[in-house]
Amino acid sequence: MESKNYLQDISDIKSMMHKSSRFLSISGLSGILAGIYALIGAYLGYRIIYANNIITVDGYRSLILTQDHLIQIFIIASSVVLLAMITGIILSFYKAKKQNESLWDSTSKRLLINFCIPLVTGGLFILILMTKGGYPYVAPLTMIFYGLALINASKYTLGYVRSLGLTMIITGLIATYFLGYGLVFWAFGFGICHIFYGTIMHFKYDRVYK
């Protein structure tokens, strides 16, 4: 009997250490919704990029984008990111409340810092690249740096975040080779992959706390 209690105590200690070192309040549903936002954004971006902007000269098709088009695309992308962040914060807060845990503690702070370092670096690099006319590389690089940010932060949260990060990096590298299909790969990475991993996390972790 004492041996059983001893093993149970060890198990409880391990569980407490695991929870204290990892942020477990990430909501799978927020990943699903972020993927849906991304797909809607990709569709709107497609309409802006390809609607009456393709001209044919000597049998070759060319895509013409004005500054207004780029501003519209930037607004859509920013809106997608903002919606995803707000949704993630609200649902994570709800999940943390269900678990009787704090949303903002030392672990979540480390998670945020490790996530932001590659993401901010990538964002600045992409902005510099855009000033040099490197627009075809924007979609692949956003996926690559986002994937690096996820992997860098994954040691402080659920393991599926690392898997999503690896998937995003691979997708971004493939998109770098097929530059003409950047929007398609972007929709797959930020849309389909978010929905896929978000669904797994939702059914494996979120439903436990309902």
Side-chain angles (χ1 to χ4, degrees):
M1 191 70 173
E2 288 183 6
S3 177
K4 266 190 172 181
N5 292 335
Y6 178 71
L7 292 173
Q8 182 62 43
D9 289 342
I10 292 176
S11 178
D12 291 341
I13 292 170
K14 284 184 177 180
S15 178
M16 289 173 62
M17 289 177 64
H18 177 73
K19 287 182 178 180
S20 65
S21 63
R22 287 179 178 267
F23 181 74
L24 304 178
S25 297
I26 290 181
S27 171
L29 184 58
S30 65
I32 296 172
L33 292 174
I36 293 173
Y37 300 153
L39 289 177
I40 294 172
Y43 172 74
L44 295 175
Y46 177 85
R47 293 290 301 271
I48 292 171
I49 293 172
Y50 294 99
N52 303 318
N53 294 327
I54 298 178
I55 62 171
T56 303
V57 179
D58 297 330
Y60 293 96
R61 302 177 73 198
S62 298
L63 182 65
I64 304 298
L65 290 177
T66 65
Q67 188 174 6
D68 288 339
H69 292 140
L70 296 175
I71 291 173
Q72 291 175 34
I73 293 170
F74 177 78
I75 292 172
I76 291 171
S78 300
S79 300
V80 168
V81 172
L82 186 62
L83 275 172
M85 287 177 61
I86 293 172
T87 302
I89 292 171
I90 292 173
L91 292 179
S92 293
F93 174 78
Y94 176 77
K95 185 176 178 181
K97 189 177 179 181
K98 284 284 186 180
Q99 296 174 263
N100 294 318
E101 295 179 357
S102 174
L103 183 65
W104 187 246
D105 55 18
S106 59
T107 304
S108 58
K109 289 176 185 176
R110 289 195 295 268
L111 170 68
L112 184 62
I113 291 170
N114 279 270
F115 178 75
C116 286
I117 290 173
L119 197 67
V120 172
T121 302
L124 292 174
F125 176 73
I126 290 169
L127 286 174
I128 294 170
L129 191 66
M130 288 173 67
T131 63
K132 306 295 182 180
Y135 296 105
Y137 294 95
V138 171
L141 286 175
T142 54
M143 289 185 282
I144 291 172
F145 279 104
Y146 178 66
L148 290 171
L150 289 175
I151 290 175
N152 201 43
S154 64
K155 55 182 172 289
Y156 298 108
T157 185
L158 303 175
Y160 285 107
V161 172
R162 180 181 179 84
S163 300
L164 175 59
L166 288 170
T167 304
M168 293 297 293
I169 291 173
I170 293 170
T171 304
L173 290 174
I174 296 173
T176 305
Y177 186 80
F178 298 99
L179 284 179
Y181 300 91
L183 187 60
V184 175
F185 284 106
W186 194 91
F188 173 78
F190 285 101
I192 302 300
C193 291
H194 263 122
I195 293 173
F196 175 74
Y197 284 105
T199 301
I200 294 175
M201 290 167 62
H202 174 68
F203 283 101
K204 187 168 183 179
Y205 299 107
D206 293 2
R207 292 168 65 89
V208 176
Y209 302 101
K210 287 187 176 181

